[in-house]
Amino acid sequence: MQRKSRKDPVAKPGAYHHGDLVTTLLAATTALIEERGVEGLSLREVSKRAGVSPGAPFRHFSTKKALLTAVAEQAMDRLSDALTSAQTKLKSADPAAIYEAIGVGYLDWALSNPTHFQIISSRTIIDFDASSKLVDQNAAIRDRMVDLLLQAQQLGQLPPAVDLNLVILSSRAFTYGLARMAIDGHLSGWHPRETPTKAMRGALRLFMTQLFVPHSR
């Protein structure tokens, strides 16, 4: 079924060209959030950090939410690249292994980009559904996961009657929860013996062993 096109809320019609102003504004926004949190963010503060007039951001972003949505789109681009890279580096055709690689790529990306992770995860501060980029790229990741699970079923790595939607939901909840725990500083209390990266990968490996039946070629 073809997805309905949504108007992108980020760029305003007639936005003027000021070098790479948009990229500068996004970088300033990310830096300010890292320092003060989302609550203390304002377009005036962003313009000051970017070194432009207070009205300059409004020529590209009509509201604070539109600016944060643009940051989320940047985060989604980087997440998609990270997941593609994780699958490419694996050099394997095994769907279960590729599925796990997507999880590893997600966790590594989240740990390396905590601010982007928090922004794209907070649906109350961005207009996710109004951004065609966010909706389409998120759907592409999900479609890839569905395809891998179908392949795994054909190889006997998953029971034929298993609900793939629940598998995807469980996988998403598990990896998101691990990332959230790591970024919020909870892993050291629950698993102090290893670094966050090792702890997350170990937990993911255990999850995958319970999900998939090994396939013998």
Side-chain angles (χ1 to χ4, degrees):
M1 180 172 132
Q2 187 175 8
R3 296 185 185 88
K4 183 179 178 181
S5 176
R6 294 173 171 82
K7 184 178 179 181
D8 191 332
V10 176
K12 291 183 66 180
Y16 79 132
H17 296 284
H18 188 285
D20 202 10
L21 178 58
V22 170
T23 300
T24 301
L25 292 172
L26 298 185
T29 300
T30 303
L32 285 169
I33 292 174
E34 289 174 351
E35 294 173 12
R36 309 177 189 180
V38 176
E39 296 77 12
L41 185 74
S42 70
L43 288 174
R44 181 175 291 276
E45 285 295 320
V46 170
S47 63
K48 184 177 180 181
R49 175 62 63 93
V52 298
S53 66
F58 291 97
R59 293 169 179 156
H60 292 277
F61 308 105
S62 58
T63 63
K64 175 180 171 180
K65 177 171 279 191
L67 175 60
L68 290 172
T69 302
V71 176
E73 289 179 343
Q74 183 183 68
M76 182 63 83
D77 282 338
R78 296 181 181 182
L79 171 59
S80 296
D81 289 343
L83 299 188
T84 298
S85 177
Q87 295 173 73
T88 302
K89 289 179 181 178
L90 184 63
K91 297 180 180 179
S92 172
D94 179 49
I98 298 173
Y99 194 83
E100 181 173 353
I102 290 176
V104 171
Y106 176 83
L107 293 173
D108 288 348
W109 169 82
L111 202 57
S112 299
N113 302 273
T115 302
H116 273 164
F117 170 81
Q118 291 178 0
I119 292 172
I120 202 172
S121 300
S122 302
R123 300 297 170 84
T124 58
I125 66 172
I126 65 175
D127 201 347
F128 185 93
D129 291 329
S131 169
S132 58
K133 172 176 277 193
L134 291 175
V135 171
D136 291 346
Q137 286 184 279
N138 189 70
I141 295 171
R142 191 182 189 284
D143 289 346
R144 175 59 171 158
M145 293 170 68
V146 170
D147 180 61
L148 290 169
L149 292 177
L150 287 172
Q151 292 181 45
Q153 273 188 326
Q154 293 174 354
L155 292 173
Q157 295 174 316
L158 281 174
V162 70
D163 187 335
L164 298 187
N165 289 316
L166 289 179
V167 173
I168 290 176
L169 176 61
S170 300
S171 302
R172 168 65 174 166
F174 188 80
T175 52
Y176 176 83
L178 284 175
R180 183 87 266 172
M181 288 182 70
I183 290 172
D184 290 347
H186 293 297
L187 284 184
S188 60
W190 287 95
H191 193 73
R193 294 186 297 104
E194 296 180 310
T195 64
T197 296
K198 287 186 177 181
M200 290 192 301
R201 289 192 178 194
L204 179 62
R205 178 89 282 274
L206 178 61
F207 177 82
M208 291 297 168
T209 60
Q210 302 302 308
L211 180 61
F212 294 103
V213 176
H215 171 64
S216 300
R217 294 188 182 279

